[in-house]
Amino acid sequence: MSHQIYAQLVALGREEHALCTDGRWEDLADLNARRDVLLSLLPAQAPAWAMADLREAVRLQALSATVIKQGMIETAGELRRLKTGRTAAAGYQSGTGVAKPLPSFSSAA
């Protein structure tokens, strides 16, 4: 069973990298839950024969982290552009030439 766990960690690493490169961020929560289950089954000390799988899983995790970081940078840029667009739109709205309603006065005296 333990040989299979290490191979499954590598498979999850490949799946995670594919999800990240495809921008399927919403699917990462499920993948992380599955990874947590696998990690809970691992022994405290990894056997020597598992090191190649663990190195590959770590390599894939690093690749995914790089893609996630780039996605966060792009999202932050998009949010800044949206904020700038809203500010500009508010400026246009104030200069539309539409008269502001005049205050109403009551003639009751």
Side-chain angles (χ1 to χ4, degrees), residues 19-82:
L19 291 174
C20 291
T21 56
D22 291 346
R24 295 175 48 206
W25 312 115
E26 66 280 357
D27 295 331
L28 290 175
D30 175 62
L31 183 135
N32 285 329
R34 290 184 285 140
R35 183 184 4 247
D36 288 344
V37 170
L38 285 177
L39 291 175
S40 73
L41 299 174
L42 293 176
Q45 181 68 34
W49 52 261
M51 297 315 283
D53 282 338
L54 288 174
R55 277 193 290 278
E56 179 63 4
V58 168
R59 184 186 76 81
L60 291 164
Q61 180 71 45
L63 290 173
S64 295
T66 299
V67 175
I68 290 169
K69 183 178 179 180
Q70 185 59 39
M72 291 173 67
I73 290 168
E74 291 170 5
T75 300
E78 183 63 24
L79 289 172
R80 280 191 298 278
R81 283 189 292 281
L82 288 171

